[in-house]
Amino acid sequence: MHQIDNFKVTQKSQRKFQLFSALAIAALALTTSLAMAQTPAASANELPGKGVKVQPLQSSIAEETFQTMLVDKALERLGYEVQPIKEVEYPTAHIAIANGDATFMAVHWDPMHKDFYNNAGGDAKLLRTGQYAGPAAQGYLIDKATAEKYNITNIDQLRDPTLAKLFDHDGDGKADLTGCNPGWGCEALIEKHMDAYKLRKTVTHVQGSYAALIADTLGRYKRGEPILYYTWTPYWVSGVLVPGKDVVWLKVPFSANPDKVNTRLDEGSDYGFAVNTARIVSNKAWAEKNPAAAKLFEVMQLPVADINAQNERMRRGESTQADIARHTAGWIKYHQQTFDGWIARALAAAKK
């Protein structure tokens, strides 16, 4: 299978989204006391996290709550006293964790958040292990109808004012690119691309609340208007605007990432962004004192398709904290053997 398949949401994935959602809801009635359950291997008094408080962080992206809650539930099974999730943006989160003001963040994008990690102290103060979720794609897309009508395949074609004007929505003659929030990391790379691919004169990087901007973009698509936007996976957007069916990824003329990060795929395509892996980042000193939690962070893995499924339920209105907790409980019940395996390995690490 070509690596490019990681960028596509297939019909098989769509069916998995629906199956997961149905099974998650069916399992909820059986999971109300799941977080308090004890493992057969240890009584409450023997759990390694007894009496230890944990402070989780996440960004303002609500769709990260599911990933964070799943880690919370696993930590609770180990006896840790998990505090309510606090929302801070990525740069601040890395610094807070490095300084010991918080314990972990479940969604550190590697390599996109490399600078945040290094600026907060890097390996001396932080620990990032395992591969919690991925591979995660990101890049630029346009609607398939416009792509095929005008034979647009590469972002640098938008240097042509005539083509760029197709995506103009505010009347200034320049293409409007639905972009990335300041502080997320992706916005810096988009800005670099604007210069590297000489797009400043014909393209505007539109920033603000991504949720609001992408909702507006989806509305334009439904009205039959051309759209140009940045997105990433896992996220609900690619489950609604399906690459290959509704929209197409745009290539870039060359890799323009800092530190000479290669963005070219094995089959030759280049979408301008390195494929990322979501990792759990924790305070290093705390992790060294809590080997059970450190092992847990290392072994947890969450399929991208399942994140997409949960995110799509949020988009459809199930977005309260109670809803997300219900989704999390459903996922655990449906994947009980996997979940219990994480706990067993974490408990074993605590006994070494």
Side-chain angles (χ1 to χ4, degrees):
M1 181 179 294
H2 285 232
Q3 191 175 1
I4 188 61
D5 288 340
N6 292 326
F7 286 75
K8 298 179 179 178
V9 178
T10 64
Q11 290 181 348
K12 182 178 180 181
S13 296
Q14 291 291 323
R15 290 194 295 271
K16 183 174 182 181
F17 296 169
Q18 296 168 0
L19 175 63
F20 166 73
S21 299
L23 289 171
I25 291 177
L28 297 178
L30 301 175
T31 58
T32 55
S33 62
L34 184 61
M36 299 304 294
Q38 297 176 18
T39 67
S43 69
N45 291 331
E46 296 172 337
L47 291 174
K50 184 182 179 183
V52 180
K53 292 184 178 181
V54 172
Q55 179 59 66
L57 299 181
Q58 72 171 70
S59 78
S60 58
I61 302 174
E63 288 80 4
E64 291 182 359
T65 306
F66 172 55
Q67 296 95 296
T68 307
M69 276 194 180
L70 184 57
V71 180
D72 287 352
K73 294 305 179 185
L75 287 167
E76 288 174 358
R77 278 283 296 273
L78 294 171
Y80 289 95
E81 298 179 10
V82 181
Q83 308 303 298
I85 300 167
K86 291 184 178 180
E87 290 187 4
V88 295
E89 294 304 338
Y90 296 118
T92 303
H94 284 79
I95 292 171
I97 294 169
N99 291 341
D101 297 323
T103 312
F104 79 93
M105 177 175 63
V107 187
H108 162 89
W109 293 111
D110 185 14
M112 188 171 67
H113 291 166
K114 175 183 177 183
D115 288 344
F116 300 155
Y117 184 87
N118 291 337
N119 291 341
D123 293 339
K125 291 189 174 183
L126 297 167
L127 178 68
R128 57 179 174 186
T129 57
Q131 298 182 28
Y132 188 31
Q138 53 183 324
Y140 308 110
L141 299 97
I142 62 173
D143 60 287
K144 189 176 181 181
T146 303
E148 292 180 345
K149 182 176 180 179
Y150 294 94
N151 193 30
I152 302 173
T153 61
N154 198 299
I155 191 75
D156 74 343
Q157 290 177 259
L158 298 186
R159 287 186 293 175
D160 180 341
T162 302
L163 292 180
K165 192 174 181 179
L166 296 170
F167 304 96
D168 175 26
H169 300 289
D170 61 7
D172 66 355
K174 298 171 66 175
D176 294 306
L177 166 65
T178 298
C180 185
N181 286 33
W184 283 5
C186 41
E187 87 288 352
L189 190 50
I190 294 174
E191 285 296 302
K192 185 173 181 61
H193 287 172
M194 293 285 290
D195 292 326
Y197 306 141
K198 300 179 180 179
L199 298 170
R200 293 286 181 191
K201 293 181 179 180
T202 56
V203 177
T204 299
H205 178 196
V206 182
Q207 295 178 270
S209 167
Y210 184 83
L213 291 173
I214 202 65
D216 185 56
T217 301
L218 181 59
R220 291 199 297 268
Y221 175 80
K222 290 180 177 179
R223 293 192 297 271
E225 300 174 16
I227 56 172
L228 167 66
Y229 64 98
Y230 160 87
T231 199
W232 69 95
T233 61
Y235 195 59
W236 64 262
V237 172
S238 292
V240 177
L241 296 172
V242 180
K245 177 177 176 287
D246 306 309
V247 294
V248 297
W249 294 90
L250 291 183
K251 298 177 183 178
V252 298
F254 54 87
S255 295
N257 282 31
D259 302 323
K260 298 181 179 180
V261 174
N262 180 36
T263 57
R264 187 174 295 276
L265 303 178
D266 292 341
E267 44 79 55
S269 298
D270 192 340
Y271 295 92
F273 295 81
V275 176
N276 275 246
T277 299
R279 304 188 191 279
I280 300 172
V281 169
S282 60
N283 178 274
K284 186 173 184 178
W286 185 91
E288 289 175 346
K289 294 177 181 178
N290 291 272
K295 175 57 70 172
L296 179 71
F297 297 159
E298 177 186 339
V299 302
M300 288 188 74
Q301 289 190 321
L302 183 59
V304 168
D306 290 359
I307 299 173
N308 280 333
Q310 190 278 334
N311 287 180
E312 173 62 6
R313 296 200 68 81
M314 291 179 66
R315 187 189 74 86
R316 293 181 178 180
E318 296 180 28
S319 57
T320 68
Q321 291 292 300
D323 289 331
I324 301 170
R326 203 168 61 243
H327 301 158
T328 304
W331 189 96
I332 294 170
K333 186 63 180 180
Y334 183 52
H335 300 85
Q336 194 69 62
Q337 186 175 359
T338 296
F339 186 83
D340 289 345
W342 297 339
I343 302 303
R345 294 180 68 180
L347 289 171
K351 295 179 180 179
K352 292 182 178 179

Coordinates of all heavy atoms in Angstrom, one line a residue, residues 58-64 87-94 105 107-117 138 178-190 205-214 230-237 273 276:
Q58 N -4.6 20.2 27.5 CA -4.9 20.0 26.1 C -5.0 21.4 25.5 O -5.2 22.4 26.2 CB -6.2 19.2 25.8 CG -7.5 19.9 26.2 CD -8.7 19.2 25.7 OE1 -9.0 18.1 26.2 NE2 -9.4 19.7 24.7
S59 N -5.0 21.5 24.2 CA -5.2 22.8 23.5 C -6.7 23.2 23.5 O -7.5 22.4 24.0 CB -4.7 22.7 22.1 OG -5.6 22.1 21.2
S60 N -7.0 24.3 22.9 CA -8.4 24.7 22.8 C -9.2 23.9 21.8 O -10.4 24.2 21.6 CB -8.5 26.2 22.5 OG -7.8 26.5 21.3
I61 N -8.5 23.0 21.1 CA -9.2 22.2 20.1 C -10.1 21.1 20.8 O -9.6 20.2 21.4 CB -8.2 21.5 19.2 CG1 -7.4 22.5 18.4 CG2 -9.0 20.6 18.1 CD1 -6.3 21.9 17.6
A62 N -11.4 21.3 20.8 CA -12.3 20.4 21.6 C -12.1 19.0 21.2 O -12.4 18.0 22.0 CB -13.7 20.9 21.4
E63 N -11.8 18.7 19.9 CA -11.7 17.4 19.4 C -10.5 16.6 20.0 O -10.3 15.4 19.7 CB -11.6 17.4 17.9 CG -12.9 17.7 17.2 CD -13.2 19.2 17.2 OE1 -12.4 20.0 17.6 OE2 -14.3 19.6 16.7
E64 N -9.7 17.2 20.8 CA -8.6 16.5 21.5 C -9.0 16.0 22.8 O -8.3 15.2 23.5 CB -7.4 17.5 21.7 CG -6.7 17.9 20.4 CD -5.5 18.8 20.7 OE1 -5.2 19.1 21.9 OE2 -4.8 19.2 19.7
E87 N -7.3 23.8 29.6 CA -7.0 24.1 28.2 C -6.0 25.3 28.2 O -6.2 26.3 28.7 CB -8.2 24.5 27.5 CG -9.2 23.4 27.2 CD -10.4 23.8 26.4 OE1 -10.4 25.0 25.9 OE2 -11.3 23.0 26.1
V88 N -4.9 25.0 27.5 CA -3.9 26.0 27.2 C -3.3 25.7 25.8 O -3.4 24.6 25.3 CB -2.7 26.1 28.2 CG1 -3.2 26.5 29.6 CG2 -2.0 24.7 28.3
E89 N -2.8 26.7 25.1 CA -2.3 26.5 23.8 C -0.9 25.8 23.9 O -0.3 25.7 24.9 CB -2.1 27.8 23.0 CG -3.5 28.5 22.8 CD -4.5 27.6 22.0 OE1 -4.0 26.7 21.3 OE2 -5.7 27.9 22.1
Y90 N -0.6 25.2 22.8 CA 0.6 24.3 22.7 C 1.9 24.8 23.3 O 2.5 24.1 24.1 CB 0.8 23.8 21.3 CG -0.3 23.0 20.7 CD1 -1.0 23.4 19.6 CD2 -0.7 21.8 21.2 CE1 -2.0 22.7 19.0 CE2 -1.7 21.0 20.7 CZ -2.4 21.5 19.5 OH -3.4 20.8 19.0
P91 N 2.3 26.0 22.9 CA 3.6 26.5 23.5 C 3.6 26.6 25.0 O 4.5 26.2 25.7 CB 3.8 27.9 22.8 CG 2.9 27.8 21.6 CD 1.7 27.0 22.0
T92 N 2.5 27.1 25.5 CA 2.3 27.2 27.0 C 2.2 25.9 27.7 O 2.8 25.7 28.8 CB 1.1 28.1 27.3 OG1 1.2 29.3 26.7 CG2 1.0 28.3 28.8
A93 N 1.5 24.9 27.0 CA 1.4 23.6 27.6 C 2.8 22.9 27.8 O 3.0 22.3 28.8 CB 0.5 22.8 26.7
H94 N 3.6 23.0 26.8 CA 4.9 22.4 26.9 C 5.8 23.0 28.0 O 6.4 22.3 28.8 CB 5.7 22.6 25.5 CG 5.2 21.6 24.5 ND1 4.1 21.9 23.7 CD2 5.7 20.5 24.0 CE1 3.9 20.9 22.9 NE2 4.9 20.0 23.0
M105 N 0.4 16.0 28.4 CA -0.5 16.4 27.3 C -0.5 15.2 26.3 O 0.5 14.7 25.9 CB 0.1 17.7 26.5 CG -0.8 18.1 25.3 SD -0.2 19.7 24.6 CE 1.5 19.2 24.1
V107 N -1.7 15.1 23.1 CA -1.6 15.4 21.7 C -0.4 16.4 21.4 O -0.6 17.6 21.2 CB -2.9 16.0 21.1 CG1 -2.8 16.1 19.6 CG2 -4.1 15.1 21.5
H108 N 0.8 15.8 21.4 CA 2.0 16.5 21.0 C 2.3 16.0 19.6 O 2.5 14.8 19.4 CB 3.2 16.2 21.9 CG 4.5 16.5 21.3 ND1 5.1 17.7 21.4 CD2 5.4 15.7 20.6 CE1 6.3 17.7 20.8 NE2 6.5 16.5 20.3
W109 N 2.2 16.9 18.6 CA 2.5 16.4 17.2 C 4.0 16.5 16.9 O 4.6 17.5 16.9 CB 1.7 17.3 16.2 CG 0.2 17.2 16.3 CD1 -0.7 18.1 16.8 CD2 -0.6 16.1 16.0 NE1 -1.9 17.7 16.8 CE2 -1.9 16.4 16.2 CE3 -0.3 14.8 15.4 CZ2 -3.0 15.5 16.0 CZ3 -1.3 13.9 15.2 CH2 -2.6 14.3 15.5
D110 N 4.5 15.3 16.5 CA 5.9 15.1 16.2 C 6.0 14.8 14.7 O 5.4 13.9 14.2 CB 6.5 14.0 17.0 CG 8.0 13.8 16.9 OD1 8.6 14.7 16.3 OD2 8.5 12.7 17.3
P111 N 6.7 15.7 13.9 CA 7.6 16.7 14.3 C 7.1 18.2 14.4 O 7.8 19.1 14.6 CB 8.7 16.7 13.2 CG 7.9 16.3 12.0 CD 6.8 15.4 12.5
M112 N 5.8 18.4 14.1 CA 5.3 19.8 14.0 C 5.5 20.6 15.3 O 5.8 21.8 15.2 CB 3.8 19.8 13.7 CG 3.3 21.2 13.4 SD 1.6 21.2 12.7 CE 0.6 20.6 14.2
H113 N 5.5 20.0 16.5 CA 5.7 20.7 17.7 C 7.1 20.6 18.2 O 7.4 20.8 19.4 CB 4.7 20.1 18.8 CG 3.3 20.5 18.5 ND1 2.2 19.9 19.2 CD2 2.7 21.4 17.6 CE1 1.1 20.4 18.7 NE2 1.4 21.3 17.8
K114 N 8.0 20.3 17.3 CA 9.4 20.1 17.7 C 10.0 21.4 18.4 O 10.6 21.3 19.5 CB 10.3 19.8 16.5 CG 11.7 19.7 16.7 CD 12.5 19.4 15.4 CE 14.0 19.4 15.7 NZ 14.7 19.3 14.4
D115 N 9.7 22.5 17.9 CA 10.2 23.8 18.5 C 9.6 24.0 19.9 O 10.3 24.5 20.8 CB 9.9 25.0 17.6 CG 10.8 25.0 16.3 OD1 11.8 24.2 16.3 OD2 10.5 25.7 15.3
F116 N 8.3 23.7 20.0 CA 7.7 23.9 21.3 C 8.4 23.0 22.4 O 8.6 23.4 23.5 CB 6.2 23.6 21.3 CG 5.4 24.4 20.3 CD1 4.2 23.9 19.8 CD2 5.8 25.7 20.0 CE1 3.4 24.7 18.9 CE2 5.0 26.4 19.1 CZ 3.9 25.9 18.6
Y117 N 8.7 21.8 21.9 CA 9.3 20.8 22.8 C 10.7 21.3 23.2 O 11.1 21.3 24.4 CB 9.4 19.5 22.1 CG 9.9 18.3 22.9 CD1 9.1 17.5 23.7 CD2 11.3 18.0 22.8 CE1 9.6 16.5 24.4 CE2 11.8 16.9 23.5 CZ 10.9 16.1 24.3 OH 11.5 15.1 25.0
Q138 N -1.5 16.2 6.8 CA -2.0 17.6 6.8 C -1.6 18.2 5.5 O -0.7 17.7 4.8 CB -1.4 18.4 8.0 CG 0.1 18.3 8.1 CD 0.6 19.1 9.3 OE1 0.0 20.1 9.7 NE2 1.6 18.6 10.0
T178 N -8.4 29.1 3.8 CA -8.8 28.8 5.2 C -7.6 28.2 5.9 O -7.2 27.1 5.6 CB -10.0 27.8 5.3 OG1 -11.1 28.5 4.6 CG2 -10.3 27.5 6.7
G179 N -7.0 28.9 6.9 CA -5.7 28.5 7.4 C -5.7 28.0 8.8 O -6.7 27.4 9.3
C180 N -4.7 28.3 9.6 CA -4.4 27.7 10.9 C -4.3 28.7 12.0 O -3.7 29.8 11.8 CB -3.1 26.9 10.7 SG -2.7 25.9 12.1
N181 N -4.9 28.4 13.1 CA -4.8 29.3 14.3 C -3.4 29.7 14.7 O -2.5 28.8 14.7 CB -5.5 28.7 15.5 CG -7.0 28.7 15.3 OD1 -7.6 28.6 14.2 ND2 -7.7 28.8 16.4
P182 N -3.1 30.9 15.0 CA -1.9 31.3 15.6 C -1.6 30.5 16.9 O -2.5 30.3 17.7 CB -2.0 32.8 15.9 CG -3.1 33.2 15.0 CD -4.0 32.1 14.9
G183 N -0.4 29.9 17.0 CA 0.0 29.2 18.2 C -0.1 27.7 18.0 O 0.3 26.9 18.9
W184 N -0.7 27.2 16.9 CA -0.8 25.8 16.7 C 0.4 25.1 16.1 O 0.6 23.9 16.3 CB -2.0 25.5 15.8 CG -3.4 25.6 16.5 CD1 -3.6 26.0 17.8 CD2 -4.6 25.3 15.9 NE1 -4.9 26.0 18.1 CE2 -5.6 25.6 16.9 CE3 -5.1 24.9 14.7 CZ2 -7.0 25.4 16.7 CZ3 -6.4 24.7 14.5 CH2 -7.4 24.9 15.5
G185 N 1.2 25.9 15.5 CA 2.4 25.4 14.9 C 2.3 25.3 13.4 O 3.2 25.6 12.6
C186 N 1.1 24.9 12.9 CA 0.9 24.8 11.4 C 0.9 26.1 10.8 O 1.3 26.2 9.6 CB -0.4 24.0 11.2 SG -1.8 24.4 12.2
E187 N 0.5 27.2 11.5 CA 0.4 28.5 10.9 C 1.8 29.0 10.5 O 1.9 29.7 9.5 CB -0.3 29.5 11.8 CG 0.6 30.2 12.8 CD 1.1 29.3 14.0 OE1 0.6 28.1 14.1 OE2 1.9 29.8 14.7
A188 N 2.8 28.6 11.3 CA 4.1 29.1 10.9 C 4.6 28.5 9.6 O 5.3 29.1 8.8 CB 5.1 28.7 12.1
L189 N 4.3 27.2 9.4 CA 4.7 26.5 8.2 C 3.9 27.0 7.0 O 4.5 27.2 5.9 CB 4.5 25.0 8.3 CG 5.1 24.2 7.2 CD1 6.6 24.6 6.9 CD2 5.0 22.7 7.6
I190 N 2.6 27.3 7.2 CA 1.8 27.9 6.1 C 2.4 29.3 5.7 O 2.6 29.6 4.5 CB 0.4 28.1 6.5 CG1 -0.3 26.7 6.7 CG2 -0.4 28.9 5.4 CD1 -1.7 26.8 7.3
H205 N -3.7 34.2 3.6 CA -3.8 33.1 4.6 C -4.8 33.6 5.6 O -4.5 34.5 6.5 CB -2.5 32.9 5.2 CG -2.5 31.9 6.4 ND1 -1.4 31.8 7.3 CD2 -3.4 31.0 6.7 CE1 -1.7 30.9 8.1 NE2 -2.9 30.3 7.8
V206 N -6.1 33.1 5.6 CA -7.1 33.6 6.5 C -7.0 32.8 7.8 O -7.1 31.6 7.9 CB -8.5 33.3 5.9 CG1 -9.6 33.9 6.8 CG2 -8.6 34.0 4.5
Q207 N -6.9 33.6 8.9 CA -6.7 33.0 10.2 C -7.8 33.5 11.2 O -8.3 34.6 11.0 CB -5.3 33.3 10.8 CG -4.2 32.7 10.0 CD -2.8 33.0 10.6 OE1 -2.2 34.0 10.2 NE2 -2.4 32.2 11.5
G208 N -8.1 32.8 12.2 CA -9.1 33.1 13.2 C -9.4 31.9 13.9 O -8.6 31.0 14.2
S209 N -10.7 31.7 14.2 CA -11.2 30.5 14.8 C -11.3 29.4 13.7 O -12.2 29.6 12.9 CB -12.5 30.7 15.5 OG -13.2 29.5 15.8
Y210 N -10.5 28.4 13.8 CA -10.5 27.4 12.7 C -11.9 26.8 12.6 O -12.4 26.5 11.5 CB -9.5 26.3 12.9 CG -9.4 25.3 11.8 CD1 -8.7 25.6 10.6 CD2 -10.1 24.1 11.9 CE1 -8.6 24.7 9.6 CE2 -10.0 23.2 10.8 CZ -9.3 23.5 9.7 OH -9.2 22.6 8.6
A211 N -12.5 26.5 13.7 CA -13.8 25.8 13.7 C -14.9 26.7 13.0 O -15.6 26.1 12.2 CB -14.3 25.6 15.1
A212 N -14.8 28.0 13.2 CA -15.8 28.9 12.5 C -15.4 29.0 11.0 O -16.3 29.0 10.1 CB -15.7 30.2 13.2
L213 N -14.1 29.1 10.7 CA -13.7 29.2 9.3 C -14.0 28.0 8.5 O -14.4 28.1 7.4 CB -12.2 29.5 9.3 CG -11.7 30.9 9.9 CD1 -10.2 30.9 9.9 CD2 -12.2 32.0 9.0
I214 N -13.8 26.8 9.1 CA -14.0 25.6 8.3 C -15.5 25.4 8.2 O -15.9 24.8 7.1 CB -13.3 24.4 8.9 CG1 -13.1 23.3 7.9 CG2 -14.0 23.8 10.1 CD1 -12.1 23.7 6.8
Y230 N -6.7 24.5 4.5 CA -5.8 23.6 5.1 C -6.5 22.8 6.2 O -7.5 23.2 6.8 CB -4.7 24.5 5.9 CG -4.0 23.7 7.0 CD1 -2.8 23.0 6.7 CD2 -4.5 23.6 8.3 CE1 -2.2 22.2 7.6 CE2 -3.8 22.9 9.3 CZ -2.7 22.2 8.9 OH -2.0 21.5 9.9
T231 N -6.1 21.5 6.3 CA -6.6 20.7 7.4 C -5.6 19.6 7.7 O -4.6 19.5 7.1 CB -8.0 20.1 7.0 OG1 -8.7 19.7 8.2 CG2 -7.9 18.9 6.1
W232 N -6.0 18.8 8.7 CA -5.1 17.8 9.2 C -6.0 16.5 9.5 O -7.2 16.6 9.6 CB -4.4 18.2 10.4 CG -5.2 18.4 11.6 CD1 -5.5 17.5 12.6 CD2 -6.0 19.6 12.0 NE1 -6.4 18.1 13.6 CE2 -6.7 19.3 13.2 CE3 -6.2 20.8 11.4 CZ2 -7.5 20.3 13.8 CZ3 -7.0 21.8 11.9 CH2 -7.7 21.5 13.2
T233 N -5.4 15.4 9.7 CA -6.0 14.2 10.3 C -5.3 13.8 11.5 O -4.1 14.0 11.6 CB -6.1 13.1 9.2 OG1 -4.7 12.7 8.9 CG2 -6.8 13.5 8.0
P234 N -6.0 13.2 12.5 CA -7.4 13.0 12.5 C -8.2 14.2 12.9 O -7.9 14.9 13.8 CB -7.5 11.9 13.6 CG -6.4 12.2 14.5 CD -5.3 12.7 13.7
Y235 N -9.3 14.4 12.1 CA -10.2 15.5 12.3 C -11.4 15.2 11.5 O -11.3 14.6 10.4 CB -9.6 16.9 12.0 CG -10.3 18.1 12.5 CD1 -10.5 18.2 13.9 CD2 -10.8 19.0 11.6 CE1 -11.2 19.4 14.4 CE2 -11.5 20.1 12.1 CZ -11.6 20.3 13.5 OH -12.3 21.4 14.0
W236 N -12.6 15.7 11.9 CA -13.8 15.4 11.2 C -13.9 15.9 9.8 O -14.7 15.3 9.0 CB -15.0 15.9 12.0 CG -15.1 17.4 12.2 CD1 -14.7 18.1 13.2 CD2 -15.7 18.3 11.2 NE1 -14.9 19.5 13.0 CE2 -15.5 19.6 11.8 CE3 -16.2 18.2 9.9 CZ2 -16.0 20.8 11.1 CZ3 -16.7 19.3 9.3 CH2 -16.5 20.6 9.9
V237 N -13.1 16.9 9.4 CA -13.3 17.5 8.1 C -13.2 16.5 7.0 O -13.9 16.5 6.0 CB -12.3 18.7 8.0 CG1 -12.3 19.2 6.5 CG2 -12.6 19.8 8.9
F273 N 3.9 19.0 4.0 CA 3.9 18.8 5.4 C 4.4 17.4 5.7 O 4.0 16.4 5.1 CB 2.5 19.0 6.1 CG 2.0 20.4 6.0 CD1 1.4 20.8 4.8 CD2 2.1 21.3 7.0 CE1 0.8 22.1 4.7 CE2 1.6 22.6 6.9 CZ 0.9 23.0 5.7
N276 N 2.8 13.4 10.6 CA 3.1 13.5 12.0 C 2.6 12.3 12.8 O 1.7 11.5 12.3 CB 2.4 14.8 12.5 CG 3.2 16.0 12.4 OD1 3.6 16.6 13.3 ND2 3.4 16.4 11.1

